[in-house]
Structures are given as structure tokens and as C-alpha cells.
Amino acid sequence: MAAPCPPPPPDPQFVLRGTQSPVHALHFWEGAQAQGHPVLFSGSQSGLVHVWSLQTRRAVTTLDGHRGQCVTWLQTLPQGHQLLSQGRDLKLCLWDLAEGRNAVVDSVRLESVGFCRSSILAGGQPRWMLAVPGKGGDEVQILEMPSKTSVCALKPKADAKLGMPMCLRLWQADCNSRPLLLAGYEDGSVALWDVSEQKVCSHIACHEEPVMDLDFDSQKARGISGSAGKALAVWSLDGQQALQVRGTHELTNPGIAEITIRPDRKILATAGWDHRIRMFHWRTMQPLAVLAFHSAAIQCVAFAADGLLAAGSKDQRISLWSLYPRA
């Protein structure tokens, strides 16, 4: 008897249309979700940030702060109703969204026009840390916010030849430990920086092509990176802060724009240049689904706290998926 065919992948739960421009960044606003009003931010190539109600499935408002230049990164701050948006106009905007406002209350001038997204380290404190691509092509600038005080510039040694930083992830093991930065570079490597010491703790070659994105599970001390090539790399961090490649997973087609681990750390999703969203079991890296809905490259993926997955594409659509519900 022939083995039964696997069931076809499901369709999206729903689709958001109306950006009228390729979608480059997505972020769920959990602060709003706690009040029963789930909100999704999307950043587009046209420089606009759309604020979507997932109840009405329509854009509630549009934020225009990047002079028509592509929005590459979106992040809300844990305290208050504040949103960060990064654009190719060399500006990072801080928006006040409280009580129906949508005003830019501050901005940071960026030194690099590359594709590297910024990263924050913020608890419930008024002060927080921001990592942004720095000047000179190979630097990462660390700022204390909201004062915009320069903490340091993390610059690899001249003979390292890492190229530009392509993706950044600030983190700390617990609230009392020193801040660390994971950075993926143009040469395909991943480095762990001790921000306070301004030194590289560990550095590993993961990919033959530039690292396009990475995510890190601080509870398991394990991370994953994707590149312009055809492999995902899984790596770990030991007690001595040494990175070690644990394995690679070959993909059918090259090019990963973004990788995100679900908040419950059970599943991860990748945004593929081949128009596909791929889902994996995080512990085993077993492939779970290939979602083929979009007609152009997927440029961003994001999970909500309840497990809802959003994917944004060059085809100007945002698909929302409810798969593998959280236990």
C-alpha cells in the first residue's frame, strides 16, 4: 500500500493588503494586546509604517517619518506606548503612540546606510541600550537611551576582515549580568561581544555568504543564523562564552531575509527569498511546514506572544498564520 501523501500546507488565516509597497519590517505590539486589541506594525519600502488592527484587519493609522525611504526595523519599548522605526534615510525615529498620538518625539542619526537592523536591551527601566550600525562600515555603535549618550564603538581588529555588520542582537543572561552583543557579519561569521569590555569573546565562521539575520534563545544558550546562501547554522554558547557551531540545515533555495524563534521557544520561522516561509521545530530542527502563499520574496517574519505568525513580502501583502498552537 502506498504511503499516504502529507496534507497540503494550510492557507493563511487572513491577509492584510493596502501597503501599496513591498513590506520590509513587522512587529507585534504586545502592550496593546494586553488590552484585548492586538496590533501589528509594518514598515514598507515607501517609508511608511502602517498600524494594523487585527480585529478589523485594517490599517488604523499610518506613520510617515522617513521621507520616502525604506523602513527596515520596528520595535516597541516595554515601558509606555513608544515605537522605534529605522529607515534607509539614516534616521531612527522614536514615536509616542499614547492616547491616540502618533508623533516623533526623538530621533537618532545613523552613520550607516546598510541593511543592518538595530537592536535594543530594555527592561522596565527608564534607561535602555541601543545598538546601531556605526561609521566606517565595520563598527557597531552602542548608545544609552533616551539620553543618546555614546557608550562605545565596537570595531573589529583591522586584520579580522569581517566586513560590515549585517544583523545585531543585544542580550544579557539576567538583569545583573553585563550586556552582550551577537553580531552577524558580511564574511559569514558570528561574533559575541562583551559590550562593557569592548572586546570579542568568541568568533565563529558559520556561512560562506553574508549573515542576513540571527536569533538567539538565551534560556538554551543556543542560536541560529541564516545567510544569502543555502544553509541555516545552529550554534551554542558555553559557560566560558565560547561560540560553537552545532550543525547546519541545508535549504532548497538560497537566501534568508529573517529568522525568528517563537516566544515559547518551540518553533522557528524563516523568511525566504524563494517566496517561502519555512517552519522548524527549534529543539530538533525538524522541518514542519513550507508555506507557499506569496508571489515574491518574503522579507520579514514575526511572532505574536500567542503564536500568531506574520510574514511580509515584496508582493506588498502581509499573511497571518495560526499554526502549531501553543500548548
Side-chain angles (χ1 to χ4, degrees), residues 232-287:
L232 301 174
V234 177
W235 30 269
S236 63
L237 186 61
D238 66 18
Q240 280 69 52
Q241 296 186 337
L243 292 166
Q244 188 173 353
V245 177
R246 290 291 174 192
T248 57
H249 182 90
E250 287 294 316
L251 300 169
T252 311
N253 301 304
I256 293 294
E258 189 165 22
I259 293 182
T260 184
I261 301 168
R262 202 165 74 175
D264 65 357
R265 298 177 305 282
K266 291 186 175 173
I267 282 170
L268 69 95
T270 64
W273 294 355
D274 65 353
H275 315 175
R276 306 290 194 268
I277 305 155
R278 286 180 166 79
M279 300 186 76
F280 298 87
H281 187 283
W282 173 220
R283 184 173 57 81
T284 64
M285 282 305 292
Q286 177 190 351

Side-chain angles (χ1 to χ4, degrees), residues 169-234:
R169 189 78 77 234
L170 274 170
W171 67 284
Q172 58 189 155
D174 56 62
C175 58
N176 298 316
S177 57
R178 54 177 59 190
L180 300 167
L181 175 78
L182 284 159
Y185 285 92
E186 194 177 4
D187 73 339
S189 67
V190 171
L192 176 71
W193 288 87
D194 183 316
V195 174
S196 308
E197 299 279 337
Q198 300 178 41
K199 69 171 188 182
V200 174
C201 304
S202 182
H203 173 250
I204 47 167
C206 293
H207 303 274
E208 295 177 2
E209 301 281 344
V211 181
M212 300 307 293
D213 196 34
L214 61 82
D215 203 358
F216 185 67
D217 177 349
S218 58
Q219 289 196 9
K220 294 187 175 77
R222 190 163 166 258
I224 184 165
S225 52
S227 75
K230 288 177 70 169
L232 301 174
V234 177

Side-chain angles (χ1 to χ4, degrees), residues 4-87:
C5 293
D11 291 327
Q13 191 172 357
F14 56 93
V15 179
L16 302 176
R17 297 174 173 86
T19 62
Q20 299 179 322
S21 177
V23 181
H24 281 259
L26 290 169
H27 180 71
F28 284 99
W29 190 13
E30 305 300 347
Q33 210 149 11
Q35 300 157 24
H37 300 290
V39 167
L40 176 69
F41 296 105
S42 70
S44 65
Q45 191 169 302
S46 66
L48 299 179
V49 175
H50 288 80
V51 185
W52 302 90
S53 163
L54 299 184
Q55 290 179 313
T56 64
R57 301 176 186 178
R58 295 179 184 277
V60 180
T61 190
T62 304
L63 311 177
D64 185 0
H66 291 284
R67 298 181 302 176
Q69 297 293 308
C70 182
V71 176
T72 57
W73 178 71
L74 297 165
Q75 176 71 50
T76 47
L77 293 176
Q79 67 275 18
H81 293 64
Q82 292 184 305
L83 170 75
L84 288 163
S85 65
Q86 178 182 342

Side-chain angles (χ1 to χ4, degrees), residues 292-308:
F293 166 76
H294 289 278
S295 57
I298 314 286
Q299 309 199 101
C300 45
V301 281
F303 279 111
D306 65 1
L308 187 67

